[in-house]
Amino acid sequence: MKLKRIVAAAMGAVMMLSLTACGGNGTSGTTANKENSTTSATTTTTAANNAESTTAGGGDAEKIYRIGICQLVQHPALDEATRGFQEALTEKLGDRVSFDMQNAQGESTNCSTIINQFVSAKVDLILANATAPLQSAAAATAEIPILGTSITDYATALDIDNWNGQTGRNISGTADLAPLDEQAAVIQELFPDKNKVGLLYCSGEPNSQYQVDIMKEHLEGMGYTCTYYSFVDSNDIASVVTNAASNSDLIYIPTDNTAASNTEVIQNICLPAKIPVFTGEEGICKGCGVATLSISYYDIGYISGEMAYEILVNGADIATMDIRYAPNVVKKYNAANCEALGISIPEGYEAIEVE
């Protein structure tokens, strides 16, 4: 019996040594702390350690989900979409979600840099706010789920033929497109006596080209004459707007990010020239327009946040998730600009709030 006790003790010691050797260099199933890095495009960075992987059908109650947000540029519409997204996820996950919010300052090259940082950090999901961040994310990863918001047309942005409402890959999200036929109808309602419409947009934004092409068809079918006025970036916008204002009775601006960042320039040219500007969204209208048929960017951001929760926690297949749209569109007007131009707005329009 004594011999058996000695042998048993010796075997136990060997086993303890083996376990110690296996665990001495670290533990599996954890990830390193994300490095805090900033670029010229960074506005705010928050990072958190990643916890264990989600389990099928409901996630891990201890996991902190890391979300990388790349927003093309700072302006009210995109800001609202980001806010809606963050609030939706925070309402559902509380302190179990961490956002790495970065702004590309309107530069596509910055989008690529930011997205590559997210991919290297192995974030759980990427929110691409606007077309350029979406395209950068699509090029950077086929593994990490990507949700877009403030995207006009996913088929155009991602060069997808035979569009059926789903991307069939690691991408889905929400669109900011208000019905263009209804926008054309509002223009006809407000400006039946106008003839020449200048279509003002940034040639570097595929979403803008898509909108002005369709609006041209609708408006010309109503008897208007339409002319394209495209600018490359903010450096030539003043000269292009001046040309458009000199040769148009009315200017239409789609949901264009560059225009949205330069509404003061547009306002300072078009208002003194007495040329009304109809816009594709509320933020641009507030800065330089007279009226719009607009969606709520907060709403589409919030919907994207709900989609993120379904993907991260409930295991939804992003490849089969339909692109979703704003639930409502609203006729709105800029009271100050309408008064300055002597434009009477009929009933059924909502005044845009001014701080």
Side-chain angles (χ1 to χ4, degrees):
M1 294 297 291
K2 182 177 181 180
L3 178 61
K4 290 181 179 180
R5 286 196 298 270
I6 294 172
V7 171
M11 291 178 66
V14 171
M15 291 175 67
M16 289 298 293
L17 287 170
S18 297
L19 289 171
T20 302
C22 291
N25 292 329
T27 59
S28 61
T30 61
T31 58
N33 287 344
K34 178 182 172 186
E35 295 180 359
N36 289 327
S37 60
T38 58
T39 67
S40 60
T42 303
T43 55
T44 306
T45 303
T46 59
N49 291 339
N50 202 1
E52 296 291 333
S53 299
T54 56
T55 57
D60 188 323
E62 300 301 320
K63 181 177 175 64
I64 296 176
Y65 297 94
R66 296 183 303 158
I67 312 296
I69 301 175
C70 181
Q71 181 173 314
L72 177 61
V73 68
Q74 185 175 5
H75 68 68
L78 299 189
D79 292 347
E80 279 296 283
T82 293
R83 185 171 72 89
F85 176 82
Q86 291 178 307
E87 289 190 1
L89 275 178
T90 302
E91 286 174 10
K92 292 179 177 295
L93 293 171
D95 59 4
R96 292 176 53 218
V97 62
S98 172
F99 301 104
D100 184 347
M101 167 60 198
Q102 300 200 38
N103 191 304
Q105 306 295 334
E107 298 292 337
S108 295
T109 53
N110 288 340
C111 292
S112 297
T113 300
I114 292 167
I115 294 296
N116 286 332
Q117 288 175 350
F118 292 160
V119 173
S120 296
K122 297 181 180 179
V123 297
D124 296 297
L125 183 141
I126 294 170
L127 176 74
N129 192 347
T131 300
L134 180 73
Q135 292 172 329
S136 294
T141 178
E143 304 297 330
I144 298 173
I146 301 165
L147 285 173
T149 192
S150 313
I151 311 297
T152 300
D153 181 64
Y154 282 79
T156 299
L158 300 173
D159 195 23
I160 299 175
D161 295 324
N162 302 316
W163 176 248
N164 67 354
Q166 303 171 358
T167 68
R169 52 191 292 193
N170 63 318
I171 300 170
S172 190
T174 53
D176 65 354
L177 183 63
L180 295 176
D181 58 338
E182 295 182 28
Q183 286 191 1
V186 174
I187 289 176
Q188 188 178 46
E189 177 184 40
L190 294 177
F191 307 106
D193 297 328
K194 301 294 185 184
N195 180 36
K196 297 181 293 183
V197 179
L199 305 173
L200 181 68
Y201 67 103
C202 178
S203 59
E205 297 189 34
N207 59 304
S208 298
Q209 186 71 62
Y210 172 84
Q211 290 173 84
V212 295
D213 286 345
I214 294 178
M215 283 297 289
K216 185 174 185 288
E217 292 181 10
H218 288 311
L219 291 171
E220 289 184 342
M222 295 173 173
Y224 294 94
T225 299
C226 297
T227 303
Y228 292 121
Y229 294 95
S230 65
F231 48 87
V232 176
D233 53 33
S234 58
N235 294 318
D236 66 337
I237 191 169
S239 61
V240 174
V241 173
T242 299
N243 187 28
S246 298
N247 295 283
S248 306
D249 302 322
L250 166 72
I251 287 176
Y252 170 76
I253 303 176
T255 56
D256 186 284
N257 292 300
T258 308
S261 299
N262 290 274
T263 56
E264 184 176 358
V265 174
I266 300 170
Q267 171 90 336
N268 289 341
I269 295 170
C270 292
L271 196 63
K274 302 297 183 182
I275 301 300
V277 176
F278 185 92
T279 72
E281 60 95 1
E282 180 179 344
I284 301 177
C285 188
K286 184 176 182 179
C288 64
V290 294
T292 183
L293 180 71
S294 184
I295 66 162
S296 164
Y297 277 79
Y298 178 88
D299 285 351
I300 61 171
Y302 194 94
I303 292 169
S304 291
E306 293 178 323
M307 295 172 74
Y309 182 83
E310 290 301 315
I311 293 163
L312 295 171
V313 179
N314 295 334
D317 181 7
I318 191 171
T320 61
M321 296 179 81
D322 288 331
I323 301 302
R324 296 178 61 184
Y325 296 82
N328 302 299
V329 291
V330 181
K331 293 179 179 180
K332 294 194 173 186
Y333 71 101
N334 181 323
N337 282 355
C338 286
E339 182 178 356
L341 295 175
I343 297 172
S344 298
I345 298 295
E347 293 184 2
Y349 287 73
E350 178 182 318
I352 295 173
E353 294 183 6
V354 179
E355 290 83 359

